[in-house]
Amino acid sequence: MMRLVAALLLGSFFLPMSLHPTALHAVQTVQEDSLPVVTLEETIRRATNLDPSYVAALGRMDSAGWARRAAIMAFVVPSVEASTSFTRSSSEFFNLGTAELTDRLVQGQLQASLNLFDGGQKYFELGRTRAELDASAAGERQALYQTALDAESDYYDVLAAKELSVVARERVRRAREQLGVARARVVSGAAVQTDSLQLLLELDRARVDQLVQETQLRVARFQLARRVGSPGAVDAAPLTFETAPELPLTEQEAVEEALTGGPDYRLAIAEERSAQKSLDQTRTQYLPSIDLFAGLQTFDDQFFPTATTRSQYGFQISLPIWNGAQREIQITQARVERDVARTRREDVEREVRRDVVQSYAAYNTARATAQIAAEAVGVARENLRVQDSRYRGGATTILDLVTAQVDLADAEAALVQARYATRLALAGLEAVLGRRLFPDRVEP
């Protein structure tokens, strides 16, 4: 039994240099120092320029702006079209421009038209484009804060993984120190061989946890690189942590704000209004339409045609009577879309209430958890110190010492997770509200 214990202990201390944790840590430190570092502000700024959802939201805003301008110009600016054509025939024919027989005809035409009355379609189109513009603005705001939330999440993942890697390395270091103490006690006869085996098992578990945390850190760095548009891994600049402040508004105030200025609800309201305007616009197809028109035509046998010029102007009144039930089908479709938009708006209202309550509670819970976790770290650290002293003096068992080591590692990991959970919960609440709650927060 003694030989088995000795072999296990020697194997744990005299690893090949290529696998020794100290050597691995030295190599990783060199690699970390060579990585580019980005700040949180830079991460959010670069992410907004690269996120496809936000770029698409900006494009929708641009399209909605042009649709709005076109709807306004339709009241006063006529439609104008210019065209020209050249015709050559295999036999001569009478040319209207030259009043002669020729095998060529060059024609130019300029036409303009202005709608005077269309049953109110232009009026409803103006309202629809206004709603579409509001919807695109709300969608842009929604995409902006969602992109900022995703960027912060990736940024915090890197920082949390770095701190958890430190916690794992400290766990390995403590396990090695205790294994040395246990080995000395076993050799001196003050402890049984199972003490060394228990600590060796803890060391192996600590090594596995360290490998897992370092892998997660590497993946998190590449995810952050994807977010900021870097071809290789990037590191996150550290943040200073202070006690998380109380939220500057109550839960009910947050709900009311989200239902008035929140991007999700504004988007749903604008889409419902747009669907209603589309339905009103479709119904105008039953009314007559009055248009003014004017045209200018020129004829010749060469460019530019100037031989003969003719002009015409007038007005046109049209009344749709029956078009194979196409109007009825379009009205039914528009009514369905309006009802769907209304149902979606009502569902978004309930969803926003849920999201605000969830984010509000998540922040307060994570904030309280971080405070408790900080106290737990102090308690666990003192407990480990006491258990270590008692074990060295032979007043406690190895199981109590190992439990104290694991409790300290768990408490340190819980503190790291709670601190970043607090920041992420705040970003989630701000995404629902569409604004920053504290002046020191980075604006997207």
Side-chain angles (χ1 to χ4, degrees), residues 251-252 254-256 258-259 265 346-360 432:
E251 183 181 284
Q252 183 59 35
V255 170
E256 293 175 357
L259 291 178
Y265 192 67
E346 294 172 349
D347 182 66
V348 167
E349 180 177 351
R350 293 187 293 268
E351 182 183 19
V352 166
R353 291 179 184 273
R354 190 276 317 273
D355 290 345
V356 170
V357 171
Q358 183 180 25
S359 299
Y360 198 97
V432 178

Side-chain angles (χ1 to χ4, degrees), residues 275 278-286 325-339:
S278 295
L279 175 60
D280 296 338
Q281 185 180 20
T282 305
R283 286 169 173 164
T284 62
Q285 296 182 34
Y286 287 98
Q326 293 303 307
R327 289 175 300 187
E328 287 70 20
I329 294 174
Q330 293 174 5
I331 290 175
T332 301
Q333 293 173 342
R335 184 184 297 111
V336 171
E337 292 177 359
R338 190 274 316 274
D339 294 342

Side-chain angles (χ1 to χ4, degrees), residues 3-290:
R3 291 180 180 179
L4 175 61
V5 174
L8 292 173
L9 294 177
L10 289 174
S12 65
F13 278 99
F14 298 101
L15 293 172
M17 181 56 67
S18 60
L19 299 177
H20 200 281
T22 304
L24 288 175
H25 178 54
V27 173
Q28 291 164 357
T29 302
V30 173
Q31 292 175 347
E32 290 178 4
D33 292 341
S34 63
L35 291 178
V37 179
V38 294
T39 63
L40 179 57
E41 182 177 5
E42 183 182 2
T43 299
I44 293 177
R45 176 179 56 81
R46 293 170 64 175
T48 53
N49 295 327
L50 297 173
D51 188 88
S53 298
Y54 183 65
V55 174
L58 289 178
R60 287 190 291 269
M61 275 195 66
D62 188 48
S63 299
W66 270 108
R68 175 67 175 172
R69 288 189 287 271
I72 294 175
M73 290 188 294
F75 283 91
V76 293
V77 179
S79 299
V80 180
E81 180 182 359
S83 63
T84 184
S85 65
F86 171 80
T87 304
R88 186 158 188 169
S89 176
S90 60
S91 60
E92 293 185 341
F93 60 90
F94 185 77
N95 189 310
L96 295 177
T98 61
E100 298 176 351
L101 292 176
T102 179
D103 62 350
R104 292 178 297 179
L105 173 63
V106 179
Q107 182 178 355
Q109 184 174 350
L110 180 66
Q111 293 181 325
S113 63
L114 178 64
N115 178 266
L116 297 181
F117 179 74
D118 59 359
Q121 286 194 39
K122 290 188 293 184
Y123 172 77
F124 292 121
E125 176 67 10
L126 190 64
R128 189 191 67 80
T129 55
R130 175 73 261 180
E132 288 290 336
L133 188 59
D134 292 342
S136 63
E140 184 271 340
R141 195 71 174 174
Q142 180 191 53
L144 177 64
Y145 273 86
Q146 183 60 49
T147 300
L149 174 61
D150 294 339
E152 285 192 68
S153 178
D154 292 339
Y155 193 89
Y156 297 152
D157 283 346
V158 172
L159 294 180
K162 287 173 65 176
E163 294 192 26
L164 290 174
S165 294
V166 173
V167 171
R169 285 198 294 268
E170 284 297 304
R171 181 181 177 183
V172 170
R173 182 190 61 79
R174 288 192 297 264
R176 284 184 171 278
E177 290 180 356
Q178 295 299 335
L179 186 57
V181 174
R183 184 182 63 168
R185 286 173 54 82
V186 170
V187 172
S188 67
V192 295
Q193 292 89 339
T194 54
D195 285 11
S196 298
L197 292 176
Q198 289 289 344
L199 284 170
L200 183 58
L201 179 60
E202 164 59 15
L203 178 59
D204 289 340
R205 289 172 176 169
R207 286 175 182 169
V208 171
D209 184 53
Q210 182 180 1
L211 290 174
V212 171
Q213 296 301 333
E214 288 171 352
T215 300
Q216 291 179 351
L217 174 59
R218 188 165 183 266
V219 174
R221 282 172 171 159
F222 274 96
Q223 173 60 25
L224 183 60
R226 170 177 173 262
R227 187 69 61 185
V228 300
S230 177
V234 297
D235 203 1
L239 299 173
T240 57
F241 277 94
E242 299 178 355
T243 303
E246 292 186 5
L247 292 171
L249 71 174
T250 65
E251 183 181 284
Q252 183 59 35
E253 291 173 343
V255 170
E256 293 175 357
E257 181 174 335
L259 291 178
T260 54
D264 292 345
Y265 192 67
R266 284 178 53 204
L267 177 60
I269 285 288
E271 289 178 344
E272 181 186 8
R273 192 166 70 250
S274 175
Q276 180 63 54
K277 293 296 182 181
S278 295
L279 175 60
D280 296 338
Q281 185 180 20
T282 305
R283 286 169 173 164
T284 62
Q285 296 182 34
Y286 287 98
L287 300 177
S289 176
I290 304 175

